[in-house]
Amino acid sequence: MITAVSWIPKGNLKAVPDVAEPPSKEELKELIESGAFARSVDGSNEDEEEIAEDGEEISEVDRAKAVAEAFGKSSKSKIASSSMEVDEVAEGLKELDMDNYDEEDDGIELFSSGIGDLYYPSNEMDPYLKDVEDEDDEEDIDDTTIKPTDSVIICARNEDEVSHLEVYVYEESSGSPNMYVHHHIIIPEFPLCTAWIDCPLKGGEKGNFVAIGSKESPTIEIWDLDVRDEVLPCIQLGGKEEMLVTKKKKSKKVKSKKEKSKKQKYKEGSHTDSVLGLAWNKEFRNILASASADKKVKVWDVATGVCKITMEHHTKEVQAVAWNHYAPEVLLSGSFDQTVVLKDGRQPSHSGFKWSVMSDVESLAWDPHSEHSFVVSLEDGTVKGFDIRTAQSGSDSDLKPSFTIQAHDQDKGVSSISYNISAPNLLATGSMDKTVKLWDLTNNEPSCLALHKPKAGAVFSISFAVDNPFLLAIGGSKGELHVWDTLLDADVCRKYGSKRS
C-alpha cells in the first residue's frame, strides 16, 4: 500500500544522485543492535518461531534438518538416474563423430570472402563495432539522469512487510507521459507520513531531504534524496534509548522473589508513540512540526535535531498539522478528540483557538490563496471550511464552519485533501470509498466538479503538483501510484483550462 505521496519542485533533485559510501563498522553495529531491518514472521512472537498448520512450533533446527533431508533425497534420485543418462550421452557423441571433427575437406568456405575471415586485434579497430559501447553508455546515463523539466514524486510504500520510499520521475511529453521509479530507499518502519525539506542540512544553499513519520515508532527519520543506496538516515529526531532493567519485589502473597521489569526510556524531547503527521515550514526552512499518537504536537529544529516546543492541547491522538502560508508562525493541529486548534508562535502565552468538528480529524489544509481560511477532512466523510477571523472575535458561538460538504460516504473517512495552488477555490478530496473528487469552493458554496475512480483501492494520500498544478498524485491500498491529469475532465478543462502552466 501507498500511505503518503508528495511532489518535489522541479530542478531540486540532483541530475545524477550520489552513491552512498559503504556503511562503517559502527553503522553496521548500530543497525544490528537496533534490529531496524530484522523482520519476524509474526510480530507478536518474540521467540521468532514459525507456527505450523497444526499449531506446533517449528524451530530453526527442525527447519534445517528438513532442508538437509530433502537435499539428500534429491541427490539420491540424481545418482539413480545417472546410469540411464550416460548411455544416452554416449549415443549422442557417437553420432557427432567428434574424433574426426577437425578433419574437414578443403574447399570453398561458406559465409567467407574466400581468403579467410578478416581478424581485428581489438574491438576498437573493428568498424562494425564502432560506437556501440558509447551508444549504450549514453543510453544508460540518459535513463538515470533527472532533467530539470522532469517532475518528481516521493512515495512512501509498504509491501510484503517491507517498507521503502520510492522516488518517481514523471516525464511529460506530447504523447503519453512516462513515469518510472528512479531509485528507492529501504526504511525500517511502516511509514505513515512524509514531508519534503529543502533546508541545507549538509551545507550549501539548498538541500533535498524527506522527513518520515512511522507507525509504532517515535523516531522521525530524515533521509537525503540526493544519495542512493543509503542504509541509515542522515538525521533522527527523537527516538528510543536502551531499555532500563530494574528489579522489583513481588507482593507478600507470592514467594519473595526479585522480578526484573523493563522501562522504556526516550531521547530528550522525543515523541513516545507513532508519528502521524508532519509539516515543513517553507519560510523558516529549518523548522518541522510533528503530530503524534502520544497526544502531543512538537516543533523541531532539523538543523540541530532539537525539539524546541512541545504542546499538549489535545486529549487524544493528533493526526495532522499544517503551517499557514502567509503567517508562518501560525500552526494548526487536528486530533481524534474531534477538535482543531490554532496556535500562534508570536503569542506563546496565548491558549490559541479551538474548533469542535464533531468527528475525528483525518487531514488539514490551509487555503494557499487566503491567509484566513482552512479546511479539515473528517472520519464521517465530511469536509468543513473555517475562517479564523470569526475565532478572533473571542466568542465560542462564532466558531462555526463557513461550509460543510458531505464529500464522501458517511462510513468512509476523507483521508486526504489538497488545494490547487494555481486555481483559487479548487480542492481535491480522497477517500476510503476509493474515489477522488474535485470541488469548487467559490463563495463558500461548494459544488462537485468531477469524480474520479483511479483503481488505487482505498485512497490514503493525494497531492496536487507544484509545477504543473493540475496533475494530482494518488496513492492507496493497492500500492500503485496514479497521476490524474485533471484537465482531461471536460468540466474542469472548461473552467480552468486557461490556467494550464
Side-chain angles (χ1 to χ4, degrees), residues 1 3 36-37 39 155-166 184-192 212-215 221 223:
M1 67 177 66
T3 55
F37 295 97
R39 291 195 297 124
C155 169
R157 178 198 298 275
N158 180 274
E159 186 175 0
D160 297 330
E161 299 182 29
V162 178
S163 298
H164 48 279
L165 187 80
E166 293 176 331
H184 71 277
I185 301 169
I186 301 294
I187 52 180
E189 304 292 345
F190 189 106
L192 296 177
I212 304 175
S214 305
K215 182 180 180 183
E221 296 186 338
W223 294 80

Side-chain angles (χ1 to χ4, degrees), residues 202-217:
K202 293 183 176 180
E205 294 183 1
K206 277 191 174 184
N208 188 26
F209 301 89
V210 61
I212 304 175
S214 305
K215 182 180 180 183
E216 297 178 358
S217 171

Side-chain angles (χ1 to χ4, degrees), residues 370-384:
S370 169
E371 63 180 302
H372 306 296
S373 303
F374 71 88
V375 292
V376 53
S377 68
L378 305 171
E379 188 184 37
D380 63 2
T382 62
V383 173
K384 296 184 178 182

Side-chain angles (χ1 to χ4, degrees), residues 34-160:
S34 67
F37 295 97
R39 291 195 297 124
S40 61
V41 175
D42 183 356
S44 61
N45 191 339
E46 294 182 357
D47 294 329
E48 296 184 358
E49 294 183 332
E50 292 182 6
I51 305 299
E53 291 183 4
D54 58 2
E56 295 181 359
E57 293 181 349
I58 303 174
S59 68
E60 295 293 334
V61 176
D62 293 335
R63 188 189 295 108
K65 286 180 178 178
V67 171
E69 188 178 63
F71 181 77
K73 288 179 180 178
S74 64
S75 300
K76 289 177 183 178
S77 65
K78 289 180 181 178
I79 294 170
S81 63
S82 62
S83 60
M84 294 185 293
E85 293 174 356
V86 167
D87 296 336
E88 294 175 3
V89 172
E91 289 294 328
L93 290 174
K94 187 177 180 181
E95 290 179 11
L96 291 173
D97 191 18
M98 297 301 292
D99 292 334
N100 300 316
Y101 179 77
D102 290 330
E103 298 178 8
E104 297 181 355
D105 296 332
D106 294 334
I108 298 174
E109 298 179 24
L110 296 178
F111 310 111
S112 171
S113 63
I115 58 174
D117 293 328
L118 191 60
Y119 169 74
Y120 294 97
S122 67
N123 288 343
E124 287 77 8
M125 298 175 64
D126 190 335
Y128 296 104
L129 295 178
K130 190 176 182 181
D131 297 333
V132 171
E133 292 183 3
D134 293 341
E135 290 175 6
D136 290 343
D137 291 342
E138 288 176 6
E139 288 180 4
D140 291 341
I141 292 172
D142 190 59
D143 288 342
T144 58
T145 301
I146 299 174
K147 305 178 187 67
T149 55
D150 290 340
S151 296
V152 179
I153 311 167
I154 49 177
C155 169
R157 178 198 298 275
N158 180 274
E159 186 175 0
D160 297 330

Side-chain angles (χ1 to χ4, degrees), residues 270-272 290-298 310-314 316-318:
S270 175
H271 282 297
T272 57
S290 60
S292 172
D294 64 8
K295 309 174 189 177
K296 297 175 183 176
V297 175
K298 290 180 178 285
T310 298
M311 293 173 275
E312 301 182 52
H313 46 260
H314 289 290
K316 289 187 178 181
E317 297 94 326
V318 189

Side-chain angles (χ1 to χ4, degrees), residues 406-425:
Q406 187 62 56
H408 294 269
D409 293 350
Q410 192 168 359
D411 58 341
K412 304 290 185 181
V414 183
S415 51
S416 185
I417 50 181
S418 181
Y419 266 110
N420 187 294
I421 64 167
S422 176
N425 300 308

